Amino acid sequence: MTDFDSAESTPPRAQATYPCVRHGTQAGSLHLHRIEGRSEWLLVEEGFLGKTSRWLGAAAAERVARVLERADAAALYTLDLEYAPFYCPACDAVYCGECWRTFLVFADDLPGFLEETRGICPQGHERMLSD
């Protein structure tokens, strides 16, 4: 069973969906789960970059849960910029995948090694979206 399967079989402790300010479509969603038999919490993020998950300790999970309960994209970004790849801090706005122009950055010294995914929002602000 994958992390995603485990998460989908348990009710979330907290969850939030973030709509695009330009299109109203879903830019991203996050849900936080306690997986049976694990001491950590699983945070699942789904958005235009795909579906990712990460394990969080109890303290980090509590901080994330409080932010998700408010659906506060700025606070989510402040916790960890990778939790909110859909959020542009310069605009203080959420954008969907149709809005972001994304590109991959590869390591200069390791051919083929992906360093990060970067994006440019509709207003021209560039940021790292995923590492």
Side-chain angles (χ1 to χ4, degrees), residues 27-48:
S29 69
L30 289 95
H31 37 105
L32 181 66
H33 297 269
R34 182 66 177 259
I35 308 300
E36 187 176 327
R38 299 285 306 238
S39 60
E40 305 98 342
W41 291 77
L42 185 67
L43 179 64
V44 178
E45 189 269 323
E46 295 181 70
F48 61 90

Side-chain angles (χ1 to χ4, degrees), residues 32-82:
L32 181 66
H33 297 269
R34 182 66 177 259
I35 308 300
E36 187 176 327
R38 299 285 306 238
S39 60
E40 305 98 342
W41 291 77
L42 185 67
L43 179 64
V44 178
E45 189 269 323
E46 295 181 70
F48 61 90
L49 295 177
K51 189 173 184 178
T52 62
S53 67
R54 69 184 75 218
W55 292 102
L56 303 176
E62 186 56 36
R63 287 188 296 274
V64 168
R66 285 195 305 268
V67 168
L68 293 180
E69 288 164 359
R70 298 188 323 265
D72 185 338
L76 189 63
Y77 174 87
T78 299
L79 289 177
D80 187 317
L81 64 93
E82 287 188 271

Side-chain angles (χ1 to χ4, degrees), residues 83-102:
Y83 293 169
F86 41 79
Y87 177 73
C88 175
C91 295
D92 189 26
V94 170
Y95 298 110
C96 67
E98 188 175 322
C99 293
W100 285 97
R101 290 188 327 242
T102 62

